[in-house]
Amino acid sequence: MRKTPLKYVFIFLVPSLIGFTVFNIVPILSSLVLAFTKWDLLTPIKFVGINNFIQMFTKDPIFWPSLGRTLLYSSMSIPLGILTSLILALAMNRPLKGIAIFRVIYFVPYVSSMIAVSMVWKWLYNDQFGLINTFLSFLGLQPQSWLSNATLVIPSLVIMDVWKGAGFGMLIYLAALQGIPEQLYEAATVDGANAFQSFFKITLPLLGPAHFYMLVTGLINGFQVFDSVYLMTQGGPGFASRVFAYNLYQSAFRQFQMGYASSMAWFLFFIIFAVTLLQFKRLGGKVEYDVI
Amino acid sequence: MNAAQTIRQNPIRKSRNYRRRQTKKAIINTISYILLITGAIISLIPFIWMISTSLKGRAEVFIYPPNFIPGTLRWDNYSSVFSTFPFFSYMRNTATVAVSVTIIQLVVSATAAYAFARLDFKGRNALFFLFLGTLMVPSQVTLIPSYIMMTDRFLALKGTLWALILPSGLGGVAFGTFMLRQFMLGIPKELEEAALIDGASPIVSFFKIILPLSKPALATLAVFTFMGSWNEFLWPLLMLERPELQTLTVGLAGLQTRWGTRWPELMAGSLVSIIPILLITLFAQRYFIRGIVVSGLKG
C-alpha cells in the first residue's frame, strides 16, 4: 500500500488521539504514580514508595478477606452462570416455534439497569414480606434473612447476578453451538452413538472456547462486582459482602485514601492481566473443528 | 453408508426408524419447551412482581399471603413518583448523555478504525497495540485519576453533564476502534481502489464507500454504547450532586434512600426507568445479538 499523505492521517487520527490521551493514557499514568503516594485530596500529596503495597499485603485487615469474598463470589457465580446459560442455549438451539420470543425475554434482565433490578430483588429478598420467603413458607421451608445473614448474603447476590446475566451467556453458547457442524452428529449417529454420548463427546468438548470465555469474563467481572453490592448491601452485614471493588470504592471515596486505593486498582490490573495472558495462550492452541 | 443401504432395502425398517426418530424428536422438543418456559418464568417473575407492587396501596404490600393482582389499581403511585422526583428531567439528562456519548463514540471510533484499517503510516501497528492494551486496564485504575481530573483542580467539569459525556464518549474509543477496525478489514479493498485511482481522497472514500458498508457494525456499536451509558451508575453517582442534573440510575438510588420501604412507589420508579431501554432492545435486537457474539467470541 502507498504511504498515505500525512494530512489525512492527521484528520482521521486526531479526534481519537485526543480522547485516548486525555481519558486513557493520562489517567493510567497518573494512577500509576498515585499508587506510590498518600493523598487525601486536601493535604499535599506525599510519596511513600511501596508502603501502600506493604500496607495492603501485610497490615490491612480488610484487604485479604475482601479478596477471599470476591473469589467465593466467583466460585459460585461462574459455575452457576455456565450451567444456566448452557441449559438455555441447548434448548434455544432447537428449531422450535416462537423461539424468538424467548430470546427477547431472557434479555429483559440483562438490559435493565442494576439499580432497577436490585431494587426489586431487595423487595423479593425481604425478610417478612418478600416473595421468596413467602414461597419458601408455602413449601413448608424455613424463611431466610437473605441479605442480612452473613453466610447467605454472597449467595444471594450471586443468584441475582446469575439471573441477570443468563441471557448474555446463553447467546455466547448459542453462537458456539451453531458453529458445530451437523455432520459430526450425523457421523456419530451412524457409528451408533446415542444422544448422551454425542453430547458428552462432541458438544461439550467443542464448546471449549465458549466455556473458557465464560470462565475468563466471569473471573474479570467477579473482581469488578460493585453496583449490586453498593445498592443492596453496602458491603454488609458487617463486612460480609465487602468484596474487592466495593472495598476499593470505600477507601477512595469514603476514606479519601486516593493513593492507597490506586495501589489496590493496580493489584486488580495485575490479576486481570494474568487472566488475559492465560486466555491468549489458550487461544493460541484453539481447537479446530472443521470437517474435511 | 451401511445404515443408509439397509434403510433403502427395507421399507418396514425405514418407517419404524422414522417413527422412532420422530418420537425422540418430540420428546427432546418437549423438554426444550419446558426448560425455555421455566427460564422465561424465572426471568420475568421479578418484573411481574415489580408491576404488581407498583399498583398496590401502601398497606396492601404487607398482606400475607401476597396477591399478584392488586385489589384496586393504584395508578397514583406513578403520579407521586412523577411529582416528588423530577423524573422527566432525569430521563432527559440520561437521554442527553447517552445520545451524545453514542454519537461521539461512533465518530471518533469510526475515523480511528479507518486509519488503522486502511491508511498507511509510521507507527500504525504500535499505536494500535497501545489502543488494544488499554482494553485490559480495569475501570478502577482510571476511576480515581479521572475523578480528580474532573474536580475544580483541573477541568472543573464535575457537577455538569459534560463530566459524563466526555470521558465515556472520548475515553471509550479503544473498544469501538478495535471492533470497527475488524469489520472494516473485512471490506474488500477493490471496492475502494477504483475510487482512489480515480483521484478520490481517503475522506471521500471513507464517507462514500466505507461508512455505508459499515452500517451493521456501527449500529451494533451504537446500541451497545447507548445501553452502557444509559445504565451507568458509579460514575454519574460520583459526578452529579445537584438533583436537577441527575440521571435515572442515580435519581432512582436517591429515591431509595429517601423512601426506604415505600415499595409501591419504588417499584413504579424502577419500572418507568427501564421502559426506554427495553423498547430499544426490542427494536434493535438484531444488532444487539450480533454485538454480543462479536465481542464474545472474537474480541
Side-chain angles (χ1 to χ4, degrees), chain A residues 112-138:
Chain A
S112 302
S113 68
M114 188 53 101
I115 165 78
V117 157
S118 65
M119 210 111 87
V120 73
W121 274 86
K122 235 175 134 171
W123 176 221
L124 290 170
Y125 276 139
N126 188 287
D127 288 1
Q128 282 179 283
F129 306 103
L131 197 60
I132 293 174
N133 274 348
T134 310
F135 185 64
L136 284 185
S137 29
F138 174 75

PDB file of all heavy atoms in Angstrom, chain A residues 112-138:
ATOM      1  N   SER A 112     -31.748  -4.390  31.679  1.00  0.00           N
ATOM      2  CA  SER A 112     -32.269  -3.490  32.701  1.00  0.00           C
ATOM      3  C   SER A 112     -31.133  -2.995  33.585  1.00  0.00           C
ATOM      4  O   SER A 112     -30.169  -3.715  33.810  1.00  0.00           O
ATOM      5  CB  SER A 112     -33.291  -4.219  33.563  1.00  0.00           C
ATOM      6  OG  SER A 112     -34.323  -4.706  32.766  1.00  0.00           O
ATOM      7  N   SER A 113     -31.266  -1.778  34.092  1.00  0.00           N
ATOM      8  CA  SER A 113     -30.180  -1.237  34.904  1.00  0.00           C
ATOM      9  C   SER A 113     -30.102  -1.981  36.231  1.00  0.00           C
ATOM     10  O   SER A 113     -31.103  -2.471  36.746  1.00  0.00           O
ATOM     11  CB  SER A 113     -30.393   0.248  35.158  1.00  0.00           C
ATOM     12  OG  SER A 113     -31.511   0.429  35.987  1.00  0.00           O
ATOM     13  N   MET A 114     -28.891  -2.070  36.771  1.00  0.00           N
ATOM     14  CA  MET A 114     -28.696  -2.782  38.028  1.00  0.00           C
ATOM     15  C   MET A 114     -29.503  -2.143  39.148  1.00  0.00           C
ATOM     16  O   MET A 114     -29.994  -2.842  40.031  1.00  0.00           O
ATOM     17  CB  MET A 114     -27.203  -2.806  38.370  1.00  0.00           C
ATOM     18  CG  MET A 114     -26.871  -3.680  39.552  1.00  0.00           C
ATOM     19  SD  MET A 114     -27.498  -5.368  39.433  1.00  0.00           S
ATOM     20  CE  MET A 114     -26.043  -6.255  38.938  1.00  0.00           C
ATOM     21  N   ILE A 115     -29.690  -0.839  39.103  1.00  0.00           N
ATOM     22  CA  ILE A 115     -30.421  -0.196  40.189  1.00  0.00           C
ATOM     23  C   ILE A 115     -31.891  -0.631  40.196  1.00  0.00           C
ATOM     24  O   ILE A 115     -32.426  -1.006  41.244  1.00  0.00           O
ATOM     25  CB  ILE A 115     -30.261   1.349  40.144  1.00  0.00           C
ATOM     26  CG1 ILE A 115     -31.282   2.068  41.008  1.00  0.00           C
ATOM     27  CG2 ILE A 115     -30.304   1.943  38.783  1.00  0.00           C
ATOM     28  CD1 ILE A 115     -30.970   2.039  42.450  1.00  0.00           C
ATOM     29  N   ALA A 116     -32.517  -0.670  39.021  1.00  0.00           N
ATOM     30  CA  ALA A 116     -33.912  -1.101  38.964  1.00  0.00           C
ATOM     31  C   ALA A 116     -34.029  -2.558  39.406  1.00  0.00           C
ATOM     32  O   ALA A 116     -34.898  -2.930  40.200  1.00  0.00           O
ATOM     33  CB  ALA A 116     -34.458  -0.928  37.550  1.00  0.00           C
ATOM     34  N   VAL A 117     -33.118  -3.367  38.888  1.00  0.00           N
ATOM     35  CA  VAL A 117     -33.137  -4.790  39.178  1.00  0.00           C
ATOM     36  C   VAL A 117     -32.876  -5.049  40.664  1.00  0.00           C
ATOM     37  O   VAL A 117     -33.552  -5.845  41.307  1.00  0.00           O
ATOM     38  CB  VAL A 117     -32.079  -5.481  38.292  1.00  0.00           C
ATOM     39  CG1 VAL A 117     -31.635  -6.781  38.885  1.00  0.00           C
ATOM     40  CG2 VAL A 117     -32.631  -5.693  36.888  1.00  0.00           C
ATOM     41  N   SER A 118     -31.907  -4.337  41.228  1.00  0.00           N
ATOM     42  CA  SER A 118     -31.569  -4.620  42.621  1.00  0.00           C
ATOM     43  C   SER A 118     -32.678  -4.133  43.550  1.00  0.00           C
ATOM     44  O   SER A 118     -32.891  -4.700  44.616  1.00  0.00           O
ATOM     45  CB  SER A 118     -30.231  -4.006  42.998  1.00  0.00           C
ATOM     46  OG  SER A 118     -30.317  -2.625  42.931  1.00  0.00           O
ATOM     47  N   MET A 119     -33.393  -3.123  43.135  1.00  0.00           N
ATOM     48  CA  MET A 119     -34.500  -2.651  43.958  1.00  0.00           C
ATOM     49  C   MET A 119     -35.565  -3.739  44.073  1.00  0.00           C
ATOM     50  O   MET A 119     -36.054  -4.028  45.166  1.00  0.00           O
ATOM     51  CB  MET A 119     -35.102  -1.397  43.321  1.00  0.00           C
ATOM     52  CG  MET A 119     -35.683  -0.471  44.304  1.00  0.00           C
ATOM     53  SD  MET A 119     -34.738   1.035  44.424  1.00  0.00           S
ATOM     54  CE  MET A 119     -35.464   2.008  43.162  1.00  0.00           C
ATOM     55  N   VAL A 120     -35.927  -4.342  42.945  1.00  0.00           N
ATOM     56  CA  VAL A 120     -36.969  -5.367  43.013  1.00  0.00           C
ATOM     57  C   VAL A 120     -36.452  -6.614  43.721  1.00  0.00           C
ATOM     58  O   VAL A 120     -37.182  -7.274  44.461  1.00  0.00           O
ATOM     59  CB  VAL A 120     -37.576  -5.677  41.628  1.00  0.00           C
ATOM     60  CG1 VAL A 120     -36.636  -6.452  40.755  1.00  0.00           C
ATOM     61  CG2 VAL A 120     -38.862  -6.458  41.789  1.00  0.00           C
ATOM     62  N   TRP A 121     -35.177  -6.926  43.556  1.00  0.00           N
ATOM     63  CA  TRP A 121     -34.628  -8.101  44.251  1.00  0.00           C
ATOM     64  C   TRP A 121     -34.544  -7.873  45.755  1.00  0.00           C
ATOM     65  O   TRP A 121     -34.734  -8.803  46.537  1.00  0.00           O
ATOM     66  CB  TRP A 121     -33.260  -8.500  43.682  1.00  0.00           C
ATOM     67  CG  TRP A 121     -33.432  -9.404  42.509  1.00  0.00           C
ATOM     68  CD1 TRP A 121     -33.627  -9.003  41.227  1.00  0.00           C
ATOM     69  CD2 TRP A 121     -33.494 -10.832  42.498  1.00  0.00           C
ATOM     70  NE1 TRP A 121     -33.795 -10.100  40.415  1.00  0.00           N
ATOM     71  CE2 TRP A 121     -33.709 -11.233  41.172  1.00  0.00           C
ATOM     72  CE3 TRP A 121     -33.366 -11.815  43.479  1.00  0.00           C
ATOM     73  CZ2 TRP A 121     -33.809 -12.565  40.794  1.00  0.00           C
ATOM     74  CZ3 TRP A 121     -33.457 -13.146  43.107  1.00  0.00           C
ATOM     75  CH2 TRP A 121     -33.685 -13.513  41.783  1.00  0.00           C
ATOM     76  N   LYS A 122     -34.272  -6.650  46.146  1.00  0.00           N
ATOM     77  CA  LYS A 122     -34.278  -6.332  47.574  1.00  0.00           C
ATOM     78  C   LYS A 122     -35.668  -6.607  48.152  1.00  0.00           C
ATOM     79  O   LYS A 122     -35.826  -7.106  49.259  1.00  0.00           O
ATOM     80  CB  LYS A 122     -33.929  -4.851  47.761  1.00  0.00           C
ATOM     81  CG  LYS A 122     -32.770  -4.629  48.680  1.00  0.00           C
ATOM     82  CD  LYS A 122     -32.413  -3.178  48.710  1.00  0.00           C
ATOM     83  CE  LYS A 122     -32.205  -2.734  50.153  1.00  0.00           C
ATOM     84  NZ  LYS A 122     -31.641  -1.377  50.225  1.00  0.00           N
ATOM     85  N   TRP A 123     -36.645  -6.261  47.357  1.00  0.00           N
ATOM     86  CA  TRP A 123     -38.034  -6.483  47.746  1.00  0.00           C
ATOM     87  C   TRP A 123     -38.371  -7.969  47.736  1.00  0.00           C
ATOM     88  O   TRP A 123     -39.037  -8.482  48.626  1.00  0.00           O
ATOM     89  CB  TRP A 123     -38.923  -5.640  46.837  1.00  0.00           C
ATOM     90  CG  TRP A 123     -40.408  -5.763  46.963  1.00  0.00           C
ATOM     91  CD1 TRP A 123     -41.290  -5.797  45.922  1.00  0.00           C
ATOM     92  CD2 TRP A 123     -41.208  -5.813  48.155  1.00  0.00           C
ATOM     93  NE1 TRP A 123     -42.565  -5.882  46.389  1.00  0.00           N
ATOM     94  CE2 TRP A 123     -42.554  -5.900  47.761  1.00  0.00           C
ATOM     95  CE3 TRP A 123     -40.907  -5.828  49.515  1.00  0.00           C
ATOM     96  CZ2 TRP A 123     -43.605  -5.995  48.671  1.00  0.00           C
ATOM     97  CZ3 TRP A 123     -41.955  -5.917  50.429  1.00  0.00           C
ATOM     98  CH2 TRP A 123     -43.285  -5.994  49.996  1.00  0.00           C
ATOM     99  N   LEU A 124     -37.863  -8.688  46.735  1.00  0.00           N
ATOM    100  CA  LEU A 124     -38.091 -10.141  46.684  1.00  0.00           C
ATOM    101  C   LEU A 124     -37.429 -10.842  47.862  1.00  0.00           C
ATOM    102  O   LEU A 124     -37.954 -11.809  48.405  1.00  0.00           O
ATOM    103  CB  LEU A 124     -37.517 -10.729  45.384  1.00  0.00           C
ATOM    104  CG  LEU A 124     -38.208 -10.395  44.074  1.00  0.00           C
ATOM    105  CD1 LEU A 124     -37.348 -10.852  42.898  1.00  0.00           C
ATOM    106  CD2 LEU A 124     -39.554 -11.078  43.996  1.00  0.00           C
ATOM    107  N   TYR A 125     -36.254 -10.343  48.255  1.00  0.00           N
ATOM    108  CA  TYR A 125     -35.487 -10.951  49.349  1.00  0.00           C
ATOM    109  C   TYR A 125     -35.966 -10.496  50.726  1.00  0.00           C
ATOM    110  O   TYR A 125     -35.428 -10.949  51.736  1.00  0.00           O
ATOM    111  CB  TYR A 125     -34.004 -10.576  49.218  1.00  0.00           C
ATOM    112  CG  TYR A 125     -33.195 -11.442  48.278  1.00  0.00           C
ATOM    113  CD1 TYR A 125     -32.260 -10.879  47.419  1.00  0.00           C
ATOM    114  CD2 TYR A 125     -33.333 -12.821  48.276  1.00  0.00           C
ATOM    115  CE1 TYR A 125     -31.488 -11.654  46.571  1.00  0.00           C
ATOM    116  CE2 TYR A 125     -32.568 -13.606  47.430  1.00  0.00           C
ATOM    117  CZ  TYR A 125     -31.648 -13.019  46.580  1.00  0.00           C
ATOM    118  OH  TYR A 125     -30.879 -13.790  45.748  1.00  0.00           O
ATOM    119  N   ASN A 126     -36.917  -9.571  50.772  1.00  0.00           N
ATOM    120  CA  ASN A 126     -37.366  -9.015  52.049  1.00  0.00           C
ATOM    121  C   ASN A 126     -37.694 -10.122  53.061  1.00  0.00           C
ATOM    122  O   ASN A 126     -38.350 -11.115  52.740  1.00  0.00           O
ATOM    123  CB  ASN A 126     -38.603  -8.141  51.790  1.00  0.00           C
ATOM    124  CG  ASN A 126     -39.031  -7.372  53.016  1.00  0.00           C
ATOM    125  OD1 ASN A 126     -39.580  -7.948  53.942  1.00  0.00           O
ATOM    126  ND2 ASN A 126     -38.775  -6.078  53.009  1.00  0.00           N
ATOM    127  N   ASP A 127     -37.201  -9.935  54.295  1.00  0.00           N
ATOM    128  CA  ASP A 127     -37.362 -10.966  55.325  1.00  0.00           C
ATOM    129  C   ASP A 127     -38.808 -11.388  55.537  1.00  0.00           C
ATOM    130  O   ASP A 127     -39.138 -12.563  55.542  1.00  0.00           O
ATOM    131  CB  ASP A 127     -36.812 -10.453  56.667  1.00  0.00           C
ATOM    132  CG  ASP A 127     -35.301 -10.381  56.646  1.00  0.00           C
ATOM    133  OD1 ASP A 127     -34.726 -10.705  55.590  1.00  0.00           O
ATOM    134  OD2 ASP A 127     -34.720 -10.002  57.670  1.00  0.00           O
ATOM    135  N   GLN A 128     -39.678 -10.392  55.774  1.00  0.00           N
ATOM    136  CA  GLN A 128     -41.043 -10.700  56.186  1.00  0.00           C
ATOM    137  C   GLN A 128     -42.019 -10.828  55.026  1.00  0.00           C
ATOM    138  O   GLN A 128     -42.861 -11.705  55.011  1.00  0.00           O
ATOM    139  CB  GLN A 128     -41.543  -9.599  57.113  1.00  0.00           C
ATOM    140  CG  GLN A 128     -41.031  -9.699  58.525  1.00  0.00           C
ATOM    141  CD  GLN A 128     -41.576  -8.537  59.316  1.00  0.00           C
ATOM    142  OE1 GLN A 128     -41.087  -7.423  59.190  1.00  0.00           O
ATOM    143  NE2 GLN A 128     -42.606  -8.795  60.096  1.00  0.00           N
ATOM    144  N   PHE A 129     -41.932  -9.908  54.082  1.00  0.00           N
ATOM    145  CA  PHE A 129     -42.970  -9.831  53.060  1.00  0.00           C
ATOM    146  C   PHE A 129     -42.457 -10.172  51.666  1.00  0.00           C
ATOM    147  O   PHE A 129     -43.184 -10.036  50.702  1.00  0.00           O
ATOM    148  CB  PHE A 129     -43.590  -8.433  53.057  1.00  0.00           C
ATOM    149  CG  PHE A 129     -44.085  -8.018  54.409  1.00  0.00           C
ATOM    150  CD1 PHE A 129     -43.357  -7.134  55.189  1.00  0.00           C
ATOM    151  CD2 PHE A 129     -45.265  -8.544  54.903  1.00  0.00           C
ATOM    152  CE1 PHE A 129     -43.808  -6.759  56.442  1.00  0.00           C
ATOM    153  CE2 PHE A 129     -45.721  -8.176  56.154  1.00  0.00           C
ATOM    154  CZ  PHE A 129     -44.994  -7.286  56.930  1.00  0.00           C
ATOM    155  N   GLY A 130     -41.173 -10.592  51.571  1.00  0.00           N
ATOM    156  CA  GLY A 130     -40.601 -10.887  50.265  1.00  0.00           C
ATOM    157  C   GLY A 130     -41.244 -12.116  49.625  1.00  0.00           C
ATOM    158  O   GLY A 130     -41.660 -13.049  50.309  1.00  0.00           O
ATOM    159  N   LEU A 131     -41.292 -12.076  48.301  1.00  0.00           N
ATOM    160  CA  LEU A 131     -41.930 -13.161  47.563  1.00  0.00           C
ATOM    161  C   LEU A 131     -41.190 -14.482  47.775  1.00  0.00           C
ATOM    162  O   LEU A 131     -41.809 -15.552  47.854  1.00  0.00           O
ATOM    163  CB  LEU A 131     -41.952 -12.798  46.076  1.00  0.00           C
ATOM    164  CG  LEU A 131     -42.910 -13.585  45.203  1.00  0.00           C
ATOM    165  CD1 LEU A 131     -44.334 -13.403  45.666  1.00  0.00           C
ATOM    166  CD2 LEU A 131     -42.775 -13.133  43.750  1.00  0.00           C
ATOM    167  N   ILE A 132     -39.863 -14.419  47.895  1.00  0.00           N
ATOM    168  CA  ILE A 132     -39.074 -15.651  48.017  1.00  0.00           C
ATOM    169  C   ILE A 132     -39.370 -16.353  49.340  1.00  0.00           C
ATOM    170  O   ILE A 132     -39.605 -17.563  49.369  1.00  0.00           O
ATOM    171  CB  ILE A 132     -37.571 -15.334  47.863  1.00  0.00           C
ATOM    172  CG1 ILE A 132     -37.322 -14.885  46.416  1.00  0.00           C
ATOM    173  CG2 ILE A 132     -36.716 -16.552  48.200  1.00  0.00           C
ATOM    174  CD1 ILE A 132     -35.937 -14.402  46.137  1.00  0.00           C
ATOM    175  N   ASN A 133     -39.393 -15.584  50.427  1.00  0.00           N
ATOM    176  CA  ASN A 133     -39.711 -16.203  51.713  1.00  0.00           C
ATOM    177  C   ASN A 133     -41.161 -16.691  51.774  1.00  0.00           C
ATOM    178  O   ASN A 133     -41.453 -17.720  52.379  1.00  0.00           O
ATOM    179  CB  ASN A 133     -39.431 -15.227  52.856  1.00  0.00           C
ATOM    180  CG  ASN A 133     -37.976 -15.304  53.283  1.00  0.00           C
ATOM    181  OD1 ASN A 133     -37.258 -16.226  52.891  1.00  0.00           O
ATOM    182  ND2 ASN A 133     -37.547 -14.335  54.067  1.00  0.00           N
ATOM    183  N   THR A 134     -42.050 -15.947  51.132  1.00  0.00           N
ATOM    184  CA  THR A 134     -43.439 -16.396  51.061  1.00  0.00           C
ATOM    185  C   THR A 134     -43.516 -17.754  50.385  1.00  0.00           C
ATOM    186  O   THR A 134     -44.199 -18.675  50.841  1.00  0.00           O
ATOM    187  CB  THR A 134     -44.289 -15.389  50.257  1.00  0.00           C
ATOM    188  OG1 THR A 134     -44.054 -14.094  50.773  1.00  0.00           O
ATOM    189  CG2 THR A 134     -45.752 -15.728  50.335  1.00  0.00           C
ATOM    190  N   PHE A 135     -42.778 -17.865  49.294  1.00  0.00           N
ATOM    191  CA  PHE A 135     -42.750 -19.114  48.543  1.00  0.00           C
ATOM    192  C   PHE A 135     -42.162 -20.244  49.394  1.00  0.00           C
ATOM    193  O   PHE A 135     -42.692 -21.355  49.415  1.00  0.00           O
ATOM    194  CB  PHE A 135     -41.929 -18.900  47.267  1.00  0.00           C
ATOM    195  CG  PHE A 135     -41.917 -20.086  46.350  1.00  0.00           C
ATOM    196  CD1 PHE A 135     -43.096 -20.528  45.753  1.00  0.00           C
ATOM    197  CD2 PHE A 135     -40.733 -20.750  46.073  1.00  0.00           C
ATOM    198  CE1 PHE A 135     -43.086 -21.629  44.899  1.00  0.00           C
ATOM    199  CE2 PHE A 135     -40.716 -21.846  45.220  1.00  0.00           C
ATOM    200  CZ  PHE A 135     -41.895 -22.279  44.643  1.00  0.00           C
ATOM    201  N   LEU A 136     -41.090 -19.935  50.122  1.00  0.00           N
ATOM    202  CA  LEU A 136     -40.466 -20.947  50.979  1.00  0.00           C
ATOM    203  C   LEU A 136     -41.433 -21.436  52.054  1.00  0.00           C
ATOM    204  O   LEU A 136     -41.547 -22.637  52.297  1.00  0.00           O
ATOM    205  CB  LEU A 136     -39.198 -20.386  51.641  1.00  0.00           C
ATOM    206  CG  LEU A 136     -37.960 -20.270  50.758  1.00  0.00           C
ATOM    207  CD1 LEU A 136     -36.764 -19.829  51.592  1.00  0.00           C
ATOM    208  CD2 LEU A 136     -37.644 -21.577  50.056  1.00  0.00           C
ATOM    209  N   SER A 137     -42.138 -20.498  52.695  1.00  0.00           N
ATOM    210  CA  SER A 137     -43.051 -20.958  53.743  1.00  0.00           C
ATOM    211  C   SER A 137     -44.243 -21.694  53.151  1.00  0.00           C
ATOM    212  O   SER A 137     -44.795 -22.593  53.773  1.00  0.00           O
ATOM    213  CB  SER A 137     -43.501 -19.810  54.660  1.00  0.00           C
ATOM    214  OG  SER A 137     -43.518 -18.613  53.991  1.00  0.00           O
ATOM    215  N   PHE A 138     -44.605 -21.334  51.922  1.00  0.00           N
ATOM    216  CA  PHE A 138     -45.648 -22.071  51.214  1.00  0.00           C
ATOM    217  C   PHE A 138     -45.225 -23.524  51.020  1.00  0.00           C
ATOM    218  O   PHE A 138     -46.024 -24.456  51.140  1.00  0.00           O
ATOM    219  CB  PHE A 138     -45.916 -21.388  49.870  1.00  0.00           C
ATOM    220  CG  PHE A 138     -46.862 -22.133  48.981  1.00  0.00           C
ATOM    221  CD1 PHE A 138     -48.234 -22.135  49.229  1.00  0.00           C
ATOM    222  CD2 PHE A 138     -46.389 -22.839  47.878  1.00  0.00           C
ATOM    223  CE1 PHE A 138     -49.105 -22.823  48.406  1.00  0.00           C
ATOM    224  CE2 PHE A 138     -47.256 -23.538  47.052  1.00  0.00           C
ATOM    225  CZ  PHE A 138     -48.617 -23.524  47.320  1.00  0.00           C
TER     226      PHE A 138
END
